[in-house]
Amino acid sequence: MEPRFNLFGTETGSKLAKRFAGLGQAVHQTSLPAITAELVSLRASQLNGCGFCLDMHVKEAIAAGEDPLRLHLVAGWRETTVFTEAEQAALAFTEEGTVLTRDGVSDETWAGVRKHFNDEQVAALICLLGLINAANRMAVITHQKGGSYQIGAMAQFQD
């Protein structure tokens, strides 16, 4: 499958991408741990089948110091011992917030998030999940492939 459209190659797409990247940067400037943010982005991208975002978030996580072994285990996080309770709560939230049902996130998952994250971090987590799911959808719709992402590439779209 070849990319069908260069969203960033248009005036409108570039303008919106700049604002979108700025929102992502705002999330990364919160107290939500950067590695947690990358794990959330990676898991949502796995669920949505977004190769472009998988490529980006694996590379950005490694650049931020994440252990590649943990990244390999994200899809099976429930069956591992390498994620903290807080990360497990964020990953459960990611799954339920990505594959939505009528009820949204379960009370049990919500309680886990509230146990491990303060109000500012919860706000960041909610916004991050909305952003990564939107990014996944844009990349999947336009058939963007993973493999060529360069660390820090999205910075060009920030103010």
Side-chain angles (χ1 to χ4, degrees):
M1 200 169 15
E2 291 300 313
R4 59 169 53 144
F5 189 75
N6 180 2
L7 187 63
F8 302 121
T10 67
E11 182 180 340
T12 298
S14 184
K15 185 186 299 184
L16 292 172
K18 189 176 224 176
R19 287 184 172 89
F20 199 80
L23 291 171
Q25 183 61 30
V27 169
H28 288 291
Q29 292 172 348
T30 70
S31 61
L32 182 68
I35 295 302
T36 300
E38 293 300 340
L39 293 174
V40 164
S41 295
L42 181 59
R43 185 64 185 131
S45 299
Q46 289 172 336
L47 293 168
N48 289 323
C50 183
F52 180 82
C53 293
L54 283 168
D55 183 31
M56 177 190 317
H57 293 291
V58 164
K59 289 175 180 173
E60 292 290 353
I62 291 170
E66 181 55 90
D67 179 352
L69 174 62
R70 285 177 18 111
L71 298 177
H72 287 293
L73 296 174
V74 168
W77 64 270
R78 283 184 180 86
E79 311 306 324
T80 71
T81 59
V82 300
F83 299 102
T84 67
E85 284 186 22
E87 290 167 340
Q88 291 175 33
L91 289 165
F93 177 78
T94 300
E95 290 180 355
E96 292 180 28
T98 296
V99 183
L100 288 174
T101 65
R102 211 172 76 113
D103 296 327
V105 174
S106 70
D107 290 340
E108 179 183 358
T109 295
W110 183 252
V113 166
R114 295 303 294 164
K115 175 182 175 185
H116 295 286
F117 299 99
N118 65 35
D119 287 351
E120 294 301 317
Q121 293 168 325
V122 170
L125 194 56
I126 292 167
C127 292
L128 172 63
L129 192 54
L131 288 169
I132 190 58
N133 277 290
N136 290 164
R137 281 151 179 76
M138 287 186 281
V140 169
I141 288 167
T142 59
H143 293 178
Q144 302 304 306
K145 295 184 177 203
S148 63
Y149 178 79
Q150 299 296 312
I151 295 168
M154 295 308 285
Q156 69 177 313
F157 296 106
Q158 297 174 14
D159 288 326

